[in-house]
């Protein structure tokens, strides 16, 4: 129900207030989001119908339940339950995994991600980038791992492989991007690849890394999208080739963007580092080749973000900006972040930095779920 609400709200926001390509972006999001919702619904209903009798909170006996804690105690594999003539745990897990791949924006079901980031208004992009991938991670952890552990063990190698491929695909895509919003989309794809890598590893380190990354990723990505929107409001462009050297006139914006970009890239000292490192440590014992692909993706993704920040900080600002009518009210210079913009940016920056040097709150909150 709430996944449906999130998808519907996202589609309406993109279609109603997005950019020139908003109709195509909203259509892709609606189509793939509907598939995810239907697959989740079929999986949950099928698992519920195979559940054991239990009691409601008032003591009433019931033959089935939708309670996730109750369903996690049902030995679906031992019961021999089937769906479409195949073992229920396998079919239901494939449905949940497919839905999660869509919501996460993972390869190969990521077609909605870049158009949505590119066309959505700034606030909408930040909300969607936080909400939908987090729901996908929740579905994979709460249903795929907790309710369908036999299915996860059966498909763990595939999940890790999808994670490694998604991480490398996103990192290579980020390396080729010059559009700030599409760079954020590629970074999201790379990060959700590490979520899959950690969940599929079925090790405490891997699952902890996936949870920590799912919690931290929206902060850095949301910050990046807000800052991309801020410079787009001033320059009417997100193209890095046009924004080279803009840090000289917008130092506050550039510092905040560097924190967001390096946080997305998993650079040590920032909050985005702990999740990928833990997922790699979790996958290494059982899937060393795929863990190495993930490590390569981490390096490539970091390089992509460092290159982008370097162009903004050390490039030469185009001379024609001084004569641009967009900057006439500001004397031909880019104005730095306003007080109102800092109110949005500063809390996210603080969290990315603080949780990078002091990640204990994240680990403590995840410990019970990992156990």
């Amino acid at each position: 129900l709430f996944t449906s609400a999130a998808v519907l709200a996202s589609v309406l926001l993109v279609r109603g207030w997005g950019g020139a390509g908003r109709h195509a972006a909203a259509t892709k999001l609606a189509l793939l989001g509907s598939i995810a919702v239907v697959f989740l619904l079929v999986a949950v209903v099928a698992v519920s119908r195979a559940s054991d009798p239990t009691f409601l909170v008032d003591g009433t006996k019931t033959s089935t339940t939708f309670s996730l804690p109750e369903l996690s105690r049902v030995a679906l594999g031992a019961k021999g339950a089937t769906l479409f003539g195949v073992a229920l745990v396998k079919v239901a897990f494939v449905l949940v995994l497919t839905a999660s791949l869509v919501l996460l924006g993972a390869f190969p079901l990521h077609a909605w991600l870049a158009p949505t980031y590119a066309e959505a208004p700034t606030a909408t992009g930040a909300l969607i980038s936080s909400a939908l991938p987090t729901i996908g991670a929740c579905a994979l952890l709460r249903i795929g791992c907790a309710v369908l552990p036999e299915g996860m063990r059966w498909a763990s190698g595939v999940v890790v492989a999808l994670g490694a491929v998604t991480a490398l695909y996103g990192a290579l895509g980020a390396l080729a991007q010059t559009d700030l919003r599409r760079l954020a989309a590629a970074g999201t794809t790379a990060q959700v690849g590490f979520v899959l890598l950690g969940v599929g590893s079925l090790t405490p380190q891997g699952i902890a890394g996936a949870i920590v990354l799912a919690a931290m990723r929206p902060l850095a990505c949301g910050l990046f999208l807000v800052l991309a929107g801020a410079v787009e409001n001033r320059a009417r462009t997100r193209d890095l080739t046009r924004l080279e050297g803009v840090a000289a006139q917008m130092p506050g914006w550039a510092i905040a963007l560097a924190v967001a970009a390096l946080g997305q890239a998993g650079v040590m000292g920032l909050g985005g580092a702990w999740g990928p490192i833990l997922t790699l440590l979790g996958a290494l014992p059982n899937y060393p080749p795929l863990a190495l692909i993930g490590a390569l993706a981490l390096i490539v993704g970091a390089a992509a973000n460092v290159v982008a920040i370097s162009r903004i900080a050390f490039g030469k600002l185009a001379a024609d900006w001084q004569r641009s009518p967009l900057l006439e009210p500001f004397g031909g210079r880019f104005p730095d972040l306003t007080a109102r913009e800092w109110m949005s940016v500063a809390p996210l920056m603080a969290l990315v930095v603080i949780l990078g040097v002091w990640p204990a709150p994240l680990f403590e909150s995840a410990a019970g779920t990992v156990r």
Side-chain angles (χ1 to χ4, degrees):
L1 173 63
F2 286 106
T3 302
S4 303
V7 170
L8 178 60
S10 300
V11 171
L12 291 176
L13 286 168
V14 172
R15 189 173 181 84
W17 290 275
R22 63 184 183 276
H23 297 297
T27 299
K28 287 181 181 179
L29 179 56
L31 178 61
L32 288 167
S34 299
I35 292 172
V37 169
V38 170
F39 278 24
L40 269 182
L41 178 63
V42 172
V44 168
V45 170
V47 169
S48 173
R49 296 180 71 173
S51 63
D52 294 332
T54 186
F55 296 92
L56 303 179
V57 290
D58 62 357
T60 305
K61 190 174 182 180
T62 178
S63 58
T64 60
T65 181
F66 288 106
S67 167
L68 288 172
E70 290 292 332
L71 291 173
S72 68
R73 288 189 277 270
V74 179
L76 293 170
K79 292 179 72 170
T82 61
L83 181 64
F84 308 130
V86 183
L88 173 62
V89 291
K90 294 182 179 180
V91 178
F93 182 81
V94 169
L95 293 172
V96 171
L97 177 61
T98 304
S100 298
L101 292 175
V102 171
L103 295 170
L104 285 165
F107 180 86
L109 300 174
H110 60 293
W112 65 270
L113 191 65
T116 298
Y117 279 28
E119 301 300 335
T122 299
T124 298
L127 285 170
I128 295 174
S129 73
S130 301
L132 296 189
T134 306
I135 294 172
C138 265
L140 194 57
L141 286 162
R142 300 189 72 189
I143 304 176
C145 278
V147 177
L148 300 165
E150 301 96 339
M152 176 61 83
R153 281 194 290 270
W154 166 69
S156 61
V158 173
V159 175
V160 173
L162 283 170
V165 171
T166 297
L168 187 58
Y169 178 88
L172 291 171
L175 197 60
Q177 290 299 334
T178 58
D179 182 295
L180 283 176
R181 289 203 190 189
R182 289 185 178 273
L183 176 61
T188 296
T189 299
Q191 288 183 318
V192 300
F194 288 106
V195 172
L196 292 169
L197 197 71
V199 173
S201 72
L202 291 178
T203 58
Q205 296 90 342
I207 293 175
I211 295 172
V212 168
L213 184 54
M216 278 303 309
R217 187 203 58 77
L219 298 178
C221 185
L223 176 60
F224 194 98
L225 288 171
V226 167
L227 292 165
V231 77
E232 187 178 7
N233 288 339
R234 291 158 169 78
R236 299 295 186 267
T237 182
R238 308 184 299 260
D239 191 343
L240 280 171
T241 60
R242 292 286 294 149
L243 296 173
E244 287 188 0
V246 77
Q249 298 183 8
M250 299 176 66
W253 174 84
I255 291 170
L257 188 72
V259 170
L262 299 180
Q264 278 196 127
V267 173
M268 287 301 297
L270 296 172
W274 298 106
I277 288 173
L278 282 171
T279 59
L280 291 175
L281 290 174
L284 190 59
N286 298 326
Y287 303 97
L290 296 174
L292 291 175
I293 293 175
L296 176 62
L298 191 61
I299 294 169
V300 173
N305 283 277
V306 168
V307 167
I309 295 302
S310 298
R311 295 178 71 172
I312 287 170
F314 305 115
K316 184 178 180 181
L317 188 65
D320 61 335
W321 279 118
Q322 295 181 0
R323 301 183 298 274
S324 171
L326 296 171
L327 302 183
E328 279 184 5
F330 310 104
R333 293 177 60 85
F334 282 91
D336 210 344
L337 294 176
T338 64
R340 178 174 175 271
E341 288 169 331
W342 274 116
M343 289 176 64
S344 299
V345 167
L348 294 173
M349 276 183 69
L351 284 171
V352 171
V353 174
I354 291 170
L355 292 174
V357 296
W358 185 51
L362 288 175
F363 295 136
E364 289 172 1
S365 64
T369 302
V370 173
R371 282 197 292 270

